[in-house]
Amino acid sequence: MKLLLIWLLPLLSRFPAAGPPAMRVTFSPLTRAAYLAAGKACVSTKPQVAFPLRKQEGRITIPTAKGPKVFADITIEATIKRGISEAELIIHQYLGYLPEFKCHLVKVEYDETSEYVLIDNSGTQIALAGEPIFAPDTQHIAAICQGIEYGGGHPNSLQVLEMSNGRLRQVWRLEPKTGEPYRICWTSATSLLLSRTMWTGKSPGTTFTYAKLEIQ
């Protein structure tokens, strides 16, 4: 119960003033046996993907209503010319356009970290610290990132995005302090299973806890 309370710290949400209220997410702890049994219902959903753009000369140019968004690689050659360190290397990978979410998806790889960026037609960008996990209704996206053991710029976070009024927006975010989200999956359009590596107690990093998440 103590671990559950730690994970139910105030949620971090980012909305424009006129946006919808924060999504409510409830945690229900599970035993390992219950988690493994429930995991049989996990659904791997692949949204539609189109590839209308190509990287040209190390640049991905995405047209938007507010002008083009340009993602330019910083390569070894560029670092030498500019006199900057290899730690500033940045490589972009265009993963396609997602019609159901009305967004382009770009993976950004840094020296030791990476993130995913969604860009919609208005030019709005949403960063995901981990790979997007798509819900069966293709109206929600979840993402997790482990940032306690390794650190190195990785946030320790869980995120949920939702299509609302034709726009994709982040509606829930949690940054726990004592446990890393290890694996997450959708079992329905409104429920997920989560396993966590705990970093408290006598054997930090070797204890796992499990939970079912319901979004409302």
Side-chain angles (χ1 to χ4, degrees):
M1 180 60 73
K2 182 177 180 181
L3 292 178
L4 179 60
L5 291 175
I6 290 174
W7 274 73
L8 293 178
L9 291 171
L11 309 182
L12 304 177
S13 301
R14 300 172 183 175
F15 299 106
M23 173 181 287
R24 180 185 177 190
V25 178
T26 59
F27 284 70
S28 300
L30 297 174
T31 64
R32 183 175 184 275
Y35 169 80
L36 293 175
K40 297 177 181 178
C42 284
V43 180
S44 178
T45 302
K46 301 295 183 183
Q48 299 180 56
V49 180
F51 292 90
L53 302 174
R54 292 184 180 181
K55 183 189 290 188
Q56 296 182 336
E57 298 182 350
R59 296 162 65 91
I60 299 169
T61 303
I62 297 177
T64 76
K66 294 184 178 180
K69 295 288 183 180
V70 179
F71 296 83
D73 292 348
I74 299 179
T75 62
I76 293 177
E77 293 79 6
T79 63
I80 294 174
K81 291 180 181 179
R82 294 172 56 188
I84 59 179
S85 70
E86 290 187 10
E88 295 184 59
L89 293 178
I90 303 176
I91 303 298
H92 300 88
Q93 180 182 0
Y94 181 70
L95 300 181
Y97 179 75
L98 310 178
E100 290 150 319
F101 294 98
K102 299 180 174 62
C103 288
H104 297 268
L105 179 60
V106 174
K107 183 178 182 180
V108 187
E109 299 183 70
Y110 304 99
D111 184 44
E112 295 183 349
T113 63
S114 64
E115 68 177 3
Y116 294 79
V117 180
L118 291 153
I119 308 98
D120 69 14
N121 185 56
S122 72
T124 299
Q125 298 181 200
I126 303 176
L128 298 176
E131 181 179 0
I133 312 281
F134 301 96
D137 65 351
T138 60
Q139 295 295 298
H140 295 87
I141 299 174
I144 61 173
C145 184
Q146 299 84 28
I148 293 181
E149 178 184 20
Y150 172 72
H154 284 286
N156 196 60
S157 64
L158 297 91
Q159 295 168 266
V160 174
L161 280 60
E162 179 183 55
M163 281 296 292
S164 177
N165 297 321
R167 293 282 300 276
L168 184 65
R169 64 181 72 222
Q170 178 176 279
V171 290
W172 184 78
R173 181 182 177 96
L174 180 66
E175 296 185 356
K177 305 301 182 183
T178 59
E180 288 184 334
Y182 180 71
R183 183 175 289 120
I184 196 167
C185 73
W186 293 94
T187 56
S188 75
T190 58
S191 63
L192 304 101
L193 293 180
L194 173 70
S195 63
R196 302 162 289 187
T197 308
M198 303 310 298
W199 290 91
T200 55
K202 295 181 180 180
S203 302
T206 62
T207 301
F208 285 83
T209 61
Y210 310 94
K212 179 179 181 180
L213 280 63
E214 293 284 352
I215 62 176
Q216 301 174 359

